[in-house]
Amino acid sequence: MQKRWQIMEPSPAAVQALTGQLHISEILAKVLLNRTISSAEEARHFLYDTGAEGHDPFLMKDMEKAVKRISQGIDAGENIIIYGDYDVDGITSTSLLYMALTELGAVPSFYIPERQNEGYGLNKEALQQLTDQQTDLVITVDCGISSYELIEAYKTKLDIIVTDHHEPPAQIPNAYAVLNPKQTDCAYPFKDLAGAGVAYKLCQALWTYRKEEPLSGYTEIAALGTIADLVPLRDENRLLVQHGLKRMKEGHNTGLQALLEASSLDKHTISAGRIAFTAAPRLNAAGRISHAEQGVRLLLETDSEKAKHMAQALSELNRERQDIEHTIAKQAIEQIEKEGREHDGVLIASGTDWHVGVIGIAASRLVETYYRPALVISIHDGVGKGSCRSIAGFNIYEALQYADDLLLQYGGHPMAAGFSIEAGHIEAFRQRLNEYAAKTMTADDYIPVVTIDTALTGTDITLDLIQELSCLEPYGMGNSRPVFSLAQCRVEEIRPIGRDKQHVRLVLAADHTKISCVGWSMAALCESVMEGDVVDAAFQLERNDFNGMSSPQLVLQDVHLHESVIHLDRTVMIDIYLALKKIIPDWGMPIWQTQQRILAAVSDTYAAHDIYAAIQVLKEIGVLRIRQHADGPAYYFPMLSGKMCLDMSETYQKYSQD
């Protein structure tokens, strides 16, 4: 997929000011400026502040009221219920508050709704059940801010304290107390806490009120929720995650340590990014496939053997989730391509009884594949439940509003949303959303953008630079790992790697320096780039430790190949086609192996890029296809019906000499 590069260009004067005052490199100064950190004071705070105390929790509206009510309940031995949510933020918020209340002398319980039957947030059946159980106090975590009517109906039967971080509606619930920094009349200075962050601030305030000392623990749990919920890792979130990662490496929570070990993470490899991609999905799988209670039980477990078995069970659930998700994503892609809709402004796929717990992830896979807003719908008994994921510049929530007369209900944010719809309205819904896309999007909007912090030379890429950049960590939403570019590199080596040959390794030469590179899930580069080519690379930097040696490594984000002169005509196409027919057996052949053999067979007659372009033409007209094989993606010749026309190929039209 072609990507546009946008190289950031901060003011040279601002760069010089930061380098002079902080004694840092121009490269680091540019990265800071690109993150809108422009003053020396801001930069010092960002780079060097540690600790998790953050802002005074009592600045949050209703905090004192909430703390006094909870403290009263602890002293009176009241029945206190923590009402959570089934995602990682909700699981960690529930666990965090449960542990803190227990240590402060309470005997709390918790309730998390079941995803498929109860859905998100407070529900009447659950509140009635808690009322029947003589509950005195309910404390919501990561939910409740939108439950005005329910709380109004039950506020005389039990006291409800809401802690949440989602956007408040016009009507704030008339609960005993509402803790949400996003309330317009809340003086708390940082508005972007995750649900776990709000729960942590409540625990901090309770601890100070009852023990008259700072809260020293639980940041590892708050950090896990903060990382997983993709809130900006700036200000207090950054401090929480920094401190929490430190405690993770020290092994303070038995259940979390078991989860990290099951995710193949240890004190040397723990990072915000790796937690987001390995540990958090395992915890999330509980709420998606089974019940989120399993995740809470793991984080509360103090027996290491029991925790190990529980973490293994979550890993099994996650593998099940992956299998279900991959199946749905594959079926969705097949449906879209069979109907020829891969170039629609908005992609919609639907299926009967697709697992609603993973359709959001399947929608994300469609966005990754096509870079278009994607909606995946599971139909049951004539009603579809849908999940949406979007791209930059397309507000999916506003798009749903444009079609609200076709929907039963909907809600969400600019980049992600959910809805329900009668199955008979799905086609009209597709047309309406594509109509909206045609009005609001341009062709360029469907080309993903790689934002580059600055261009480097080969001599800039050193272990010292990597060490200096490490002070930017932890990386996450709002503080992504820096991306750099390197121009006019010669490809010294390129080959697919990995068990299934999905990845690629390159060696690039630039400024008399040879640099190792890896491209995850970028094996398709082997179809267009070859040794000797000149390319521009966009990449992230990391330290590679191997056999006792350390060296810089580029983690490729994109590669632009300098244009080669390519000549195609019908004779070339026939020759390449016949040569491939001799090489590729009926079952197919791995792409990398096919490339090696076709180059060896016809390179005396045709230039390598002519050969690669001809293969691309054959793929575009459907003569040559790709399927998964044990050794990675493989070319094969499908059974064809009808005649294939070369002019159907954009590549052939571009390079044809006919």
Side-chain angles (χ1 to χ4, degrees):
M1 183 185 298
Q2 184 67 35
K3 298 178 181 179
R4 291 182 288 143
W5 293 9
Q6 180 183 16
I7 300 180
M8 306 293 282
E9 296 180 352
S11 157
V15 172
Q16 290 304 314
L18 282 187
T19 57
Q21 294 177 66
L22 297 176
H23 306 291
I24 59 177
S25 71
E26 288 191 3
I27 295 169
L28 178 54
K30 289 178 179 179
V31 173
L32 290 169
L33 289 164
N34 292 341
R35 282 148 183 71
T36 68
I37 300 168
S38 55
S39 72
E41 182 181 356
E42 284 180 289
R44 285 193 189 95
H45 175 69
F46 186 84
L47 296 174
Y48 307 124
D49 279 3
T50 58
E53 293 81 10
H55 306 293
D56 179 357
F58 287 98
L59 292 174
M60 196 175 295
K61 182 186 177 185
D62 280 359
M63 182 63 80
E64 185 172 354
K65 189 178 181 183
V67 165
K68 287 181 177 179
R69 177 63 185 86
I70 295 169
S71 186
Q72 173 192 323
I74 294 172
D75 292 335
E78 290 183 345
N79 184 10
I80 301 174
I81 301 292
I82 303 162
Y83 192 112
D85 183 29
Y86 42 66
D87 67 1
V88 179
D89 195 17
I91 290 169
T92 52
S93 302
T94 302
S95 305
L96 168 60
L97 188 55
Y98 184 99
M99 287 185 279
L101 288 176
T102 301
E103 196 162 346
L104 289 170
V107 186
S109 300
F110 65 87
Y111 184 93
I112 297 180
E114 199 275 327
R115 186 184 199 115
Q116 295 196 58
N117 295 325
E118 295 181 83
Y120 168 77
L122 294 171
N123 66 79
K124 182 179 179 181
E125 291 74 15
L127 285 180
Q128 186 58 50
Q129 177 184 328
L130 296 178
T131 301
D132 294 343
Q133 294 171 355
Q134 305 300 310
T135 300
D136 300 297
L137 175 63
V138 171
I139 308 171
T140 76
V141 288
D142 193 33
C143 64
I145 196 66
S146 298
S147 300
Y148 178 88
E149 292 181 359
L150 265 177
I151 290 174
E152 195 68 19
Y154 280 86
K155 68 180 183 181
T156 59
K157 302 175 184 178
L158 40 76
D159 285 342
I160 301 174
I161 293 174
V162 171
T163 80
D164 204 344
H165 73 117
H166 295 99
E167 290 293 336
Q171 273 191 314
I172 303 296
N174 190 20
Y176 188 93
V178 177
L179 306 181
N180 185 331
K182 290 179 179 172
Q183 293 181 85
T184 55
D185 54 349
C186 179
Y188 197 74
F190 184 61
K191 305 297 184 182
D192 290 325
L193 290 169
V198 178
Y200 178 80
K201 299 310 291 187
L202 174 58
C203 294
Q204 215 178 23
L206 275 167
W207 208 268
T208 303
Y209 183 78
R210 291 186 65 84
K211 293 202 169 191
E212 298 183 348
E213 63 183 38
L215 178 65
S216 60
Y218 308 124
T219 53
E220 66 274 28
I221 307 299
L224 177 56
T226 299
I227 291 167
D229 213 52
L230 300 179
V231 290
L233 287 194
R234 302 289 291 269
D235 198 282
E236 194 162 14
N237 287 338
R238 177 176 167 78
L239 295 178
L240 265 177
V241 172
Q242 278 182 329
H243 197 269
L245 290 174
K246 181 174 180 291
R247 284 182 59 87
M248 287 182 202
K249 293 174 183 179
E250 294 168 353
H252 289 279
N253 182 282
T254 302
L256 179 52
Q257 289 311 115
L259 178 67
L260 295 173
E261 288 170 14
S263 309
S264 301
L265 296 176
D266 58 33
K267 63 182 180 180
H268 302 294
T269 57
I270 288 172
S271 69
R274 288 180 175 173
I275 286 169
F277 285 104
T278 59
R282 284 170 164 79
L283 206 57
N284 222 351
R288 289 187 181 278
I289 301 298
S290 180
H291 198 291
E293 179 180 334
Q294 291 178 251
V296 177
R297 297 292 180 199
L298 171 62
L299 295 179
L300 298 180
E301 184 56 62
T302 57
D303 183 288
S304 58
E305 278 303 310
K306 288 182 180 177
K308 181 179 179 180
H309 290 303
M310 294 166 78
Q312 288 173 343
L314 287 183
S315 291
E316 289 298 322
L317 278 178
N318 191 48
R319 278 189 281 273
E320 181 182 347
R321 186 271 304 169
Q322 289 173 326
D323 290 342
I324 295 170
E325 167 221 319
H326 289 158
T327 298
I328 293 174
K330 181 182 177 183
Q331 292 173 350
I333 289 171
E334 288 173 350
Q335 183 182 124
I336 287 166
E337 296 196 344
K338 181 180 179 181
E339 296 174 359
R341 297 189 178 278
E342 56 267 39
H343 298 298
D344 282 4
V346 178
L347 304 178
I348 296 181
S350 61
T352 302
D353 289 329
W354 282 349
H355 198 300
V356 296
V358 301
I359 56 175
I361 306 175
S364 295
R365 296 289 175 261
L366 294 183
V367 174
E368 291 171 8
T369 303
Y370 300 106
Y371 198 70
R372 273 160 165 67
L375 296 79
V376 176
I377 303 170
S378 174
I379 302 171
H380 180 75
D381 289 341
V383 175
K385 285 187 176 181
S387 190
C388 323
R389 296 294 184 271
S390 195
I391 61 175
F394 188 86
N395 188 318
I396 194 68
Y397 182 73
E398 290 182 358
L400 295 181
Q401 287 180 311
Y402 188 77
D404 63 357
D405 59 306
L406 297 171
L407 301 175
L408 298 174
Q409 61 182 24
Y410 65 95
H413 306 285
M415 296 298 289
F419 64 92
S420 59
I421 186 173
E422 291 182 10
H425 290 163
I426 291 176
E427 183 55 38
F429 180 55
R430 183 202 314 276
Q431 293 174 15
R432 185 77 62 81
L433 290 193
N434 277 288
E435 178 183 301
Y436 179 80
K439 290 181 177 181
T440 58
M441 300 288 278
T442 68
D444 281 351
D445 291 327
Y446 293 108
I447 303 174
V449 175
V450 178
T451 301
I452 294 171
D453 282 280
T454 190
L456 302 183
T457 66
T459 54
D460 288 328
I461 298 171
T462 64
L463 290 173
D464 286 342
L465 174 61
I466 294 171
Q467 179 61 36
E468 183 185 33
L469 292 172
S470 68
C471 65
L472 296 166
E473 298 177 13
Y475 297 120
M477 184 68 69
N479 180 39
S480 57
R481 187 180 291 273
V483 177
F484 304 104
S485 65
L486 193 61
Q488 299 287 327
C489 310
R490 185 178 185 277
V491 179
E492 297 282 310
E493 179 185 336
I494 179 169
R495 59 187 176 89
I497 59 170
R499 185 179 62 184
D500 54 2
K501 298 295 188 292
Q502 288 285 332
H503 316 302
V504 66
R505 182 171 297 284
L506 289 84
V507 175
L508 298 179
D511 303 304
H512 309 291
T513 305
K514 289 190 177 181
I515 308 163
S516 177
C517 316
V518 63
W520 304 119
S521 301
M522 294 178 71
L525 279 178
C526 295
E527 299 177 42
S528 56
V529 177
M530 63 192 66
E531 292 171 7
D533 280 342
V534 177
V535 300
D536 299 335
F539 57 89
Q540 296 168 339
L541 271 172
E542 70 176 16
R543 179 190 182 102
N544 183 34
D545 297 307
F546 184 70
N547 283 343
M549 300 288 290
S550 297
S551 60
Q553 177 170 268
L554 311 188
V555 181
L556 296 173
Q557 305 300 298
D558 193 28
V559 172
H560 283 180
L561 176 65
H562 286 216
E563 194 75 19
S564 300
V565 177
I566 295 173
H567 299 284
L568 294 180
D569 58 29
R570 294 181 182 278
T571 300
V572 175
M573 293 305 307
I574 291 170
D575 288 348
I576 302 301
Y577 170 76
L578 293 175
L580 288 169
K581 288 290 284 184
K582 290 180 180 178
I583 292 168
I584 300 175
D586 290 343
W587 59 266
M589 177 177 286
I591 289 174
W592 62 272
Q593 190 176 358
T594 304
Q595 290 167 342
Q596 287 181 347
R597 295 199 178 183
I598 190 69
L599 286 172
V602 299
S603 60
D604 289 344
T605 307
Y606 297 113
H609 279 290
D610 290 350
I611 299 168
Y612 277 34
I615 291 174
Q616 180 63 26
V617 172
L618 294 174
K619 288 192 294 180
E620 289 175 4
I621 65 174
V623 172
L624 190 65
R625 291 185 182 170
I626 298 174
R627 62 184 169 203
Q628 289 302 310
H629 185 262
D631 289 328
Y635 285 135
Y636 75 101
F637 286 102
M639 295 291 292
L640 297 176
S641 59
K643 186 177 180 181
M644 297 296 168
C645 177
L646 290 174
D647 290 331
M648 293 166 55
S649 162
E650 291 183 7
T651 300
Y652 189 76
Q653 291 178 12
K654 182 176 179 180
Y655 297 119
S656 171
Q657 305 300 305
D658 290 339

